[in-house]
Structures are given as C-alpha cells and as structure tokens.
Amino acid sequence: MPTEILMPALSPTMEEGTLAKWLVKEGDNVSSGDLLAEIETDKATMEFEAVDEGVVGKILIAEGTEGVKVNTPIAVLLEDGESADDIDASTEPKKGDADSHAEPATPKAETSPAKGYGDDAGAAQQAKGGDAAPASSGASGDRVFASPLARRIAADKGLDLSQIKGSGPNGRIVKADVESAKPGQKPAAAEAEKAPAAQADKADKAPVAAPAAPGVQAEQIRKMYADREFEEVKLDGMRRTIAARLTEAKQTIPHFYLRRDIKLDALLKFRSQLNKQLEARGVKLSVNDFIIKASALALQAVPDANAVWAGDRVLKLKPSDVAVAVAIEGGLFTPVLRDAESRSLSSLSSQMKDLAKRARDKKLAPHEYQGGSFAISNLGMFGIDNFDAVINPPHGAILAVGAGVKKPVVNDAGEIEVATVMSVTLSVDHRVIDGALGAELLKQIAEALENPMMMLA
C-alpha cells in the first residue's frame, strides 16, 4: 500500500515551510535514517529523515516550493513489490496546494501518512528524536501509528488497529502487537492513558497568535505610494512569525519597565585579568558572558521571578534557563543557555559563541531556541545607550542592555569621578512579576555585575 510522506511539523509552532531541496529522487531506495529533504521553517533549515524503508515512488512537491502547509503530501513511498502504477491519482496535489493559502491535503484511505512524516508523528519525532509511527485512521477517527507490515497483517486478520496498544517507539504498533492480538480485543490501559496524554499535549503547546489582519489592505498602502519609487519585499516565514509574536506580545502582555545604571569598572578590570589567564586555553570572555551569568544567579536569588506565563497559571522554573537575542540576516534568534546558574563563565562563553554561529547559519534545532524564562537583548555594541525590549512570550522578563559609557559620577566620598556606566532596562510581564519583585531581581543583577567576584563563589 503506497504511503504518503507528509510535510512534517518540525517545531510546535510550525504551520508551513519551504521545501528547500530534495536529497533523493524518484526510484531511489531509502532506509530508516536516510536524509530525504531540506526544509526551511520560520527559524531554521532542517534535514528531514526517513523513518521507514521503501522506494521513492513519486515526488509531489518540487524543491524550492514555498508555503507548503504542514500535512500536505510531498512524496509517495512504495513498499516491496509495489510500483508507480499503484499510486492513486488522488495523491497528486491540487493546484495551489503549495500556495501559502492552500489547505493541507487530507490523507486518502488508500495511502497512509508515514511514521514521522508530518502531523502528530512529526512532532513526536522532533520532541523525542526517535522513530514515530505511520498513521492511519481507526474506527474512532483518532490517528493510529503502525508499521507498514503491522498494517498489512492487521488487514489480513481483520483487526482494528485502533483497538491495539502499540509496544514500539512512541506507541507505534509493530508486527508482534498484531500477531498477538485477537479480533475485538481492547487494550485495558488505552482509555486511561488517553485523557492525561491529551492534557499533557495541550499543556506543552504554547498559544501562538495568528498574524493580525491589517487595518488597511496592502493594495491601499501601495496606492498611497504609487508616485514614489519603492521596492516590495516579500515576507518570509521568519519575518511573519516575528510580526505575529511581537504583535501578540505588545497587545496581550502588560509590560512595565525598570531602569538602572550599573558601574562596570570593577567588572572590566576583573575580565581583563581573567582573559590574560585564559588566553592559553583560547578563551576570551565578553561582558555579555558576565551579564548572562549575573542574570542566571539573580533568578536563583529571586526564585519567584524565575517564572513564565502559562495562560491560566504561572510556571516557576527551578533552573536558570537564559535566552540571548542574536541578530541574523532578516530577523533574530533567541538561543537558550540551560542551567546557566551552574555553568562556569568559560563554559557559557564557549556555548554562546557556538549557538550564535549556528543561529546565523540557521542551523539551530528547535529545542535550542525554545524555552527559558528570561531573555537578554544587548545593543551596546552598536553604541545604543538604552532602549526598551519587547518580552518574548511566555518569558516573564527581558533585560535590555546598553553601551558602557564613561560618565561623571559621585562616589561614596561625595567626590566626582569618571566611571564606566552601563544603562539597563528590565521589561517585565506584570502578570508574572510585580514591581517590587522585579526591582529586587534587577538589584541582584546589578550587584553581581558591580562585584564580579561574587559570580565565582
């Protein structure tokens, strides 16, 4: 039975993508783990692996096609003994299926989406990094994941796959399950597991706002500038996602802002000493590395601020997972440094350099830029004195960092002296963090940066 390969959901928020490049051609034999295609999401270019073996019978979506909806059939995989003649004409994508306004195709009864190829299986594969099962619809209408061989044996024995509990990876039904099953058999734990699984799935998926409908249509805007020379820039997936997320953030998150100046002279001196000692190891710490560490320690010192908004509740995190904004061509990433409170400065510095490089190459995996409770956006290297950053939901806060500038200040003795001062602004979600709590968090960050030896204790 030919198997449709569907456009996979390579991240929880992915709705469509670009089929950048096919790595196989019609007639090629593929095995589990073979690379099938490169797919561009709104955040990265990712390689799509085969999780079944067979022959590529037909490629339905040409490489370079943009706006391919998740679950749209992109190719057909044939099993042993099948030929291209077995492919039903209904698998051909209708004109416009790959258009950004096209609806995802519905799998036909004759062809079932392959395991890991789109829909729930693709999400499972991304989350667990393992095999997922091919899917078919059971009597209840729920999607069932089973190997091609298990489906064939079940059909011969007259078994309803929806009534069989799979023992394979991610609950996949394998040969042994159908061979030991009897007609009419129902798994005892199936219903008991179904409800909590649905709840967990619902909790795992953060709400994502669709881009707001423009108040004025694009054509009307173009008419306003009809007599002026301009270039029309098509929005790619990343820019559309940024627009939707930031619109959601400013419309739904009650921001408030806390500002503070931080003296950097002690940190700069300490950093210079450390870098001399670390030079032989090829390590060079940046001021941003210290800011990451200081923020991570502050979240431990003020644990109630280490939290995210989860719709109808607040989730308080135990580790300090700090996201850092990285500018790339056409947008930005916020890779997350996990467990930053327990990491050394040199370890944080090394990982940050690696994440930033792969972010600019769009090679980050979804788990490397999702999560975290707190973010840092540093524009100091561009000479910006201060600015207000927009919170990236569901984070509770984001720290906007300006440049270190020499300024006259009054010291503890009441005398005027020159000091290097960095201005920071903490943007806070008032649903998660109240004013006094946010002020305490910023105080802890400032104290760590002004007394950098504390970060080594």
Side-chain angles (χ1 to χ4, degrees):
M1 179 166 52
T3 303
E4 286 180 349
I5 300 176
L6 304 184
M7 183 69 167
L10 297 176
S11 73
T13 60
M14 179 177 168
E15 295 180 357
E16 62 181 42
T18 297
L19 207 161
K21 182 180 181 181
W22 278 107
L23 303 177
V24 295
K25 59 184 182 296
E26 293 180 3
D28 282 358
N29 286 289
V30 296
S31 300
S32 177
D34 289 351
L35 298 179
L36 296 178
E38 291 181 357
I39 294 174
E40 293 179 5
T41 70
D42 56 343
K43 290 287 188 180
T45 299
M46 303 181 68
E47 292 172 332
F48 180 34
E49 293 184 357
V51 288
D52 255 335
E53 60 181 29
V55 177
V56 180
K58 191 172 185 63
I59 290 176
L60 304 176
I61 300 293
E63 65 179 42
T65 303
E66 299 179 354
V68 182
K69 295 285 188 180
V70 167
N71 297 336
T72 299
I74 59 175
V76 178
L77 193 67
L78 301 176
E79 298 176 15
D80 289 341
E82 295 178 337
S83 68
D85 295 335
D86 297 317
I87 301 174
D88 191 271
S90 60
T91 61
E92 292 281 356
K94 297 177 182 178
K95 184 178 180 180
D97 271 356
D99 186 88
S100 59
H101 303 289
E103 293 297 324
T106 302
K108 306 299 179 184
E110 294 82 3
T111 57
S112 302
K115 61 178 182 177
Y117 299 145
D119 201 50
D120 301 323
Q125 184 185 38
Q126 181 272 327
K128 295 184 178 290
D131 287 344
S136 59
S137 295
S140 63
D142 293 331
R143 192 165 291 282
V144 177
F145 300 100
S147 70
L149 180 57
R151 291 201 307 271
R152 190 157 54 237
I153 295 173
D156 293 341
K157 295 179 66 175
L159 297 173
D160 183 355
L161 288 174
S162 66
Q163 303 302 317
I164 299 175
K165 179 174 174 58
S167 61
N170 305 308
R172 177 190 183 193
I173 298 171
V174 296
K175 175 183 176 182
D177 299 322
V178 293
E179 286 185 334
S180 62
K182 298 177 181 178
Q185 175 183 341
K186 293 187 178 181
E191 291 302 316
E193 292 177 356
K194 191 172 181 180
Q199 291 293 332
D201 184 66
K202 184 177 180 181
D204 285 343
K205 295 181 180 178
V208 179
V216 183
Q217 295 299 319
E219 201 57 41
Q220 293 176 279
I221 297 291
R222 290 180 58 172
K223 287 179 181 179
M224 291 171 58
Y225 296 92
D227 62 339
R228 310 304 300 160
E229 183 178 356
F230 63 84
E231 176 188 0
E232 186 169 322
V233 180
K234 183 180 179 181
L235 297 183
D236 60 13
M238 175 176 288
R239 181 50 54 185
R240 286 197 298 269
T241 298
I242 290 173
R245 296 281 286 175
L246 295 187
T247 299
E248 174 196 2
K250 292 301 286 184
Q251 288 181 343
T252 65
I253 298 177
H255 288 62
F256 71 91
Y257 306 94
L258 302 172
R259 312 179 199 281
R260 181 161 181 156
D261 287 341
I262 299 174
K263 295 180 182 179
L264 289 182
D265 297 277
L267 186 148
L268 294 175
K269 182 178 179 181
F270 183 57
R271 169 177 170 262
S272 178
Q273 293 171 346
L274 280 180
N275 279 338
K276 285 182 181 178
Q277 297 174 8
L278 295 170
E279 188 175 1
R281 290 166 49 188
V283 176
K284 185 175 183 180
L285 302 176
S286 68
V287 172
N288 212 48
D289 297 329
F290 285 89
I291 296 171
I292 294 168
K293 183 68 174 180
S295 299
L297 294 175
L299 290 169
Q300 294 297 306
V302 190
D304 286 346
N306 189 18
V308 299
W309 180 253
D312 61 350
R313 67 201 68 190
V314 170
L315 303 182
K316 291 184 180 180
L317 278 68
K318 297 296 184 184
S320 295
D321 296 342
V322 179
V324 180
V326 175
I328 67 171
E329 184 178 355
L332 58 84
F333 272 107
T334 51
V336 179
L337 294 102
R338 296 173 182 267
D339 304 301
E341 79 284 0
S342 61
R343 307 272 298 281
S344 67
L345 284 163
S346 59
S347 173
L348 290 173
S349 178
S350 176
Q351 186 185 15
M352 189 65 241
K353 288 182 175 67
D354 173 63
L355 289 171
K357 181 180 184 302
R358 289 191 291 116
R360 295 186 182 102
D361 294 337
K362 294 188 176 182
K363 295 297 184 182
L364 290 179
H367 72 271
E368 293 178 306
Y369 57 79
Q370 293 171 352
S373 64
F374 182 91
I376 296 168
S377 180
N378 190 341
L379 295 180
M381 66 284 293
F382 298 106
I384 301 300
D385 287 337
N386 55 71
F387 66 103
D388 299 340
V390 180
I391 295 170
N392 183 28
H395 292 173
I398 182 170
L399 184 70
V401 180
V405 179
K406 290 189 178 297
K407 294 181 179 181
V409 298
V410 179
N411 61 22
D412 294 337
E415 300 171 336
I416 295 178
E417 64 180 14
V418 176
T420 304
V421 178
M422 177 178 72
S423 176
V424 298
T425 302
L426 186 68
S427 303
V428 186
D429 184 345
H430 214 323
R431 300 171 301 181
V432 181
I433 302 172
D434 291 327
L437 188 63
E440 179 62 25
L441 178 64
L442 187 53
K443 177 185 174 184
Q444 291 289 334
I445 294 172
E447 288 182 353
L449 291 173
E450 291 183 342
N451 302 278
M453 287 291 290
M454 293 171 52
M455 289 185 259
L456 300 184

